[in-house]
Amino acid sequence: DIELIHNIEQLLVTVVDVANYRYMPKALPYRDYMNKIKDVLNVRFISDSIVFTLELSKITTDPHLNDNENVSNHICAYLNSISMFCPFFIGKTGLIFKGGIAIGPHYEKDIGNNIFIFSQAYIDASELEKKQKIRPRIVVSNNLLSYLKNISFNYIDKFF
């Protein structure tokens, strides 16, 4: 049903806009900083997978913050995007998620109408999801949790 496919496509576009903070008020403090964070967040829809990525090597720094604070702000925006995306999508479709979140090497490039991806993080996230006996659930890798503790990420309890 091509109409159903177009409706799902439009829903996904809307959800990505919400997840990428496109509907923030224009006068919000730190708007420029948030826009720069948004620029390194990416969402891809591949078959039945929704892939959120945050390229840590491209984070934008605010000179008023230290490195860990800048990285933490980017990770917080990434996790907030997922947190906003899931209930919006569930509410619109009735479909519930299962999956994994991992950290690791990730390479992707658009080549014309094609996407080229090599990603250890994607493989690790998929393996995490496959191992879970309770579904639906989104599982976080131990490597990611260790990384968050190492950078003194202050919002672990908020998300996990």
Side-chain angles (χ1 to χ4, degrees):
D1 182 349
I2 196 68
E3 186 177 339
L4 178 61
I5 291 169
H6 286 295
N7 289 342
I8 290 172
E9 179 183 38
Q10 187 55 50
L11 170 66
L12 294 175
V13 168
T14 302
V15 167
V16 169
D17 286 347
V18 169
N20 283 334
Y21 302 98
R22 286 200 172 89
Y23 299 118
M24 283 192 312
K26 302 246 185 285
L28 194 67
Y30 298 106
R31 175 75 179 186
D32 290 340
Y33 183 60
M34 281 304 299
N35 280 333
K36 290 176 183 173
I37 289 175
K38 179 181 59 102
D39 289 342
V40 296
L41 296 174
N42 195 12
V43 182
R44 297 278 192 179
F45 301 97
I46 304 167
S47 183
D48 65 345
S49 296
I50 302 169
V51 181
F52 284 80
T53 59
L54 168 63
E55 200 167 343
L56 291 176
S57 63
K58 291 186 177 178
I59 67 164
T60 303
T61 58
D62 181 317
H64 302 98
L65 304 172
N66 66 40
D67 289 342
N68 282 352
E69 290 170 323
N70 278 302
V71 171
S72 290
N73 287 340
H74 282 72
I75 292 171
C76 195
Y78 169 80
L79 295 171
N80 274 327
S81 294
I82 295 170
S83 297
M84 289 188 315
F85 174 88
C86 290
F88 185 85
F89 187 84
I90 291 167
K92 293 289 187 180
T93 66
L95 301 173
I96 300 176
F97 290 95
K98 62 180 184 170
I101 302 176
I103 188 170
H106 177 86
Y107 176 83
E108 69 180 63
K109 183 175 183 178
D110 288 321
I111 302 172
N113 290 331
N114 302 297
I115 182 171
F116 184 71
I117 296 178
F118 278 97
S119 179
Q120 186 63 51
Y122 181 72
I123 292 168
D124 291 348
S126 295
E127 291 299 317
L128 275 172
E129 183 269 322
K130 287 178 188 175
K131 291 179 184 176
Q132 296 309 305
K133 298 193 186 317
I134 300 171
R135 296 183 184 180
R137 169 179 291 214
I138 298 176
V139 185
V140 179
S141 75
N142 288 330
N143 288 349
L144 177 56
L145 289 175
S146 294
Y147 175 78
L148 295 175
K149 289 175 186 172
N150 284 341
I151 66 163
S152 301
F153 184 67
N154 292 327
Y155 306 103
I156 290 176
D157 292 341
K158 177 182 176 185
F159 293 105
F160 312 110

